[in-house]
Amino acid sequence: MSRAILVLNAGSSSIKFSLFLEQGESLEFFLGGQLEGLYTSTRFKAKQAQGLLMRENDWPQGLPLGHDGAIAYLADFLREELGQHSLVAVGHRVVHGGLDFAAPLRLNAETVERLEKLNPLAPLHQPHNLKPIRLLLDRLPDLPQVACFDTAFHRTQPELAQMFALPKDLHDEGVRRYGFHGLSYEYIASALPALDPAAAQGRCVVLHLGNGASMCAISGGNSVASTMGFTALDGLPMGTRCGALDPGVILYLIDQHGLDARAIEDLLYKQSGLLGVSGLSSDMRTLLASEEPRAKLAVDLYVYRIVRELGSLAAALGGLDALVFTGGIGENSAEIRARVCRAVAWLGLELNESANQSGLARISAPASKLSAWKIPTDEELMIARHTRRLLAE
Ligand code: ADP
């Protein structure tokens, strides 16, 4: 019998879950899955550690579960599957910790209220992240819950790196660069010392390339700059998000196209990025396999923007000792990795082409001045680790 930690990542229409068991010092992934279509037609899927499907379930259209029903269903499923194991805590992914929360936080009614005050900073995510927390606080008040923030890892950034050149009052109010994907970067920073101890103590840039994408400059294990800013819209082009944009474009859209805030939000979050440029798909696999000129253009722009940002982050670090690729694209696309590495040969990076094609972690040549790595991220494990640590305090 082991102690179990549940990790929840609740979005507007889905809840992803992972269950970890304590095995001595380490945490072993036991099972995981997701409930999708919470307000349309709900689907449930759970897999064991070896990837074996455990259960699949579909609810008829018109009878969606909502967050409430999904949590109740998940609680029943976990009760059955836990058997002898005992659930000791739940760790939640919460997008925004604002200025106050630079570390994971034990949750109670008062702390949840403080997190709800941050909803305006991340209206598309924060309220949904907090829903299951409220539900569990009501139903199982004695079950310890912990919030782990996507922004927390970046709170070490120097004040200058956090500033927009806006009137200072806005900065003081909280209009500043926060940075996201912090749990992924923190996981990578925790894995790098075993692979490249010198780079882990030195200067590295991590590229988290998934549907959402960002890059982070890390010095001695601490975030010093990142491409995402006030929201998860800034920086690199993503699956459907535009990335960095001249703010004058927004004024033009208002004045010339008569768009309101919601229409602009839809355009920038859902119609742009790889999808908008290609007119074909937000999925990198589809674009790489396509012969369409616009698909090629989207991939070219994606790589170009990464390379530009890499120069900027290397400058913020004053040099570079390592580059780490992670996220769905970073971990799986040898082509994108190769194109980025070749474009930054001027930094002294020499790609090992065959290592890049194989499953090896190190993809730079032995003689390369800086090392390059492919490291699968594990945000859920990071949350489980934090949750266990807070439980012990
Ligand atoms: P999320 O940000 O939603 O967690 P992921 O990290 O899973 O997303 O990344 C999804 C992206 O990874 C998609 O664009 C997908 O096309 C891309 N991807 C996954 N496998 C490959 C592959 N073999 N080659 C290229 N891209 C891939």
Side-chain angles (χ1 to χ4, degrees):
M1 177 184 141
S2 300
R3 285 154 49 98
I5 292 175
L6 175 66
V7 173
L8 291 182
N9 181 357
S12 57
S13 67
S14 72
I15 297 178
K16 295 189 182 123
F17 62 94
S18 308
L19 197 65
F20 292 86
L21 298 183
E22 282 187 6
Q23 307 284 356
E25 282 305 294
S26 65
L27 286 161
E28 300 288 331
F29 178 80
F30 181 51
L31 62 85
Q34 58 190 10
L35 281 134
E36 289 176 324
L38 296 187
Y39 294 92
T40 47
S41 51
T42 309
R43 296 174 302 283
F44 174 83
K45 203 180 239 187
K47 289 183 178 172
Q48 289 176 336
Q50 298 79 11
L52 231 70
L53 187 66
M54 297 174 74
R55 188 192 290 184
E56 238 177 330
N57 208 346
D58 284 294
W59 285 262
Q61 186 104 26
L63 286 173
L65 290 189
H67 281 84
D68 234 337
I71 289 291
Y73 180 85
L74 189 58
D76 284 345
F77 169 76
L78 292 174
R79 213 169 286 125
E80 281 172 38
E81 296 299 331
L82 271 166
Q84 296 291 303
H85 306 304
S86 63
L87 182 65
V88 293
V90 184
H92 299 265
R93 182 180 189 167
V94 175
V95 68
H96 227 296
L99 294 178
D100 291 343
F101 302 114
L105 174 73
R106 186 79 176 252
L107 294 161
N108 55 38
E110 185 250 319
T111 49
V112 175
E113 221 164 274
R114 288 180 67 190
L115 295 180
E116 280 169 347
K117 295 219 167 77
L118 300 174
N119 283 354
L121 292 178
L124 301 181
H125 296 102
Q126 189 88 344
H128 308 296
N129 299 158
L130 300 181
K131 257 184 209 162
I133 299 174
R134 274 257 177 246
L135 285 170
L136 289 173
L137 271 181
D138 281 351
R139 292 199 194 139
L140 302 166
D142 295 330
L143 180 64
Q145 297 193 74
V146 169
C148 298
F149 305 103
D150 269 317
T151 51
F153 184 67
H154 300 295
R155 301 303 305 135
T156 52
Q157 288 183 8
E159 186 82 354
L160 279 184
Q162 298 181 44
M163 287 190 81
F164 295 115
L166 287 169
K168 182 77 166 43
D169 288 354
L170 284 170
H171 176 77
D172 297 340
E173 179 188 317
V175 181
R176 54 175 82 197
R177 303 182 60 86
Y178 290 95
F180 299 89
H181 289 137
L183 292 157
S184 173
Y185 294 128
E186 193 179 9
Y187 175 81
I188 299 295
S190 78
L192 196 58
L195 297 167
D196 190 338
Q201 290 187 356
R203 303 153 301 181
C204 82
V205 168
V206 181
L207 300 87
H208 178 107
L209 309 178
N211 279 318
S214 71
M215 294 163 66
C216 180
I218 300 180
S219 177
N222 297 314
S223 170
V224 295
S226 58
T227 59
M228 276 182 175
F230 180 60
T231 65
L233 203 52
D234 200 7
L236 303 178
M238 309 174 213
T240 60
R241 290 176 238 161
C242 60
L245 190 72
D246 176 345
V249 173
I250 293 174
L251 300 176
Y252 174 87
L253 293 172
I254 295 168
D255 285 342
Q256 302 302 320
H257 288 245
L259 298 190
D260 64 9
R262 295 288 76 78
I264 293 173
E265 179 180 86
D266 186 67
L267 180 82
L268 303 185
Y269 276 93
K270 297 195 176 137
Q271 313 294 334
S272 298
L274 295 174
L275 175 67
V277 177
S278 70
L280 182 69
S281 172
S282 64
D283 193 309
M284 184 56 87
R285 280 166 297 200
T286 309
L287 300 181
L288 288 172
S290 167
E291 299 289 325
E292 289 287 325
R294 277 179 62 183
K296 184 178 170 317
L297 186 67
V299 178
D300 287 350
L301 180 58
Y302 186 75
V303 173
Y304 173 79
R305 290 293 321 160
I306 289 175
V307 172
R308 287 268 307 259
E309 293 289 352
L310 195 46
S312 164
L313 294 176
L317 285 164
L320 201 55
D321 302 306
L323 210 61
V324 180
F325 291 88
T326 195
I329 297 172
E331 292 165 30
N332 297 304
S333 176
E335 182 175 340
I336 297 295
R337 289 194 302 267
R339 287 181 61 174
V340 171
C341 288
R342 285 185 208 125
V344 294
W346 62 274
L347 277 170
L349 179 59
E350 204 182 313
L351 180 68
N352 179 339
E353 301 276 354
S354 63
N356 184 41
Q357 294 292 338
S358 71
L360 292 179
R362 183 177 172 127
I363 60 168
S364 53
S368 182
K369 271 202 217 144
L370 62 148
S371 61
W373 303 89
K374 175 186 73 171
I375 304 177
T377 196
D378 199 337
E379 291 149 298
E380 287 73 23
L381 178 58
M382 202 64 235
I383 294 170
R385 284 180 187 164
H386 281 309
T387 304
R388 174 157 82 162
R389 188 175 48 75
L390 255 72
L391 211 55
E393 278 175 3

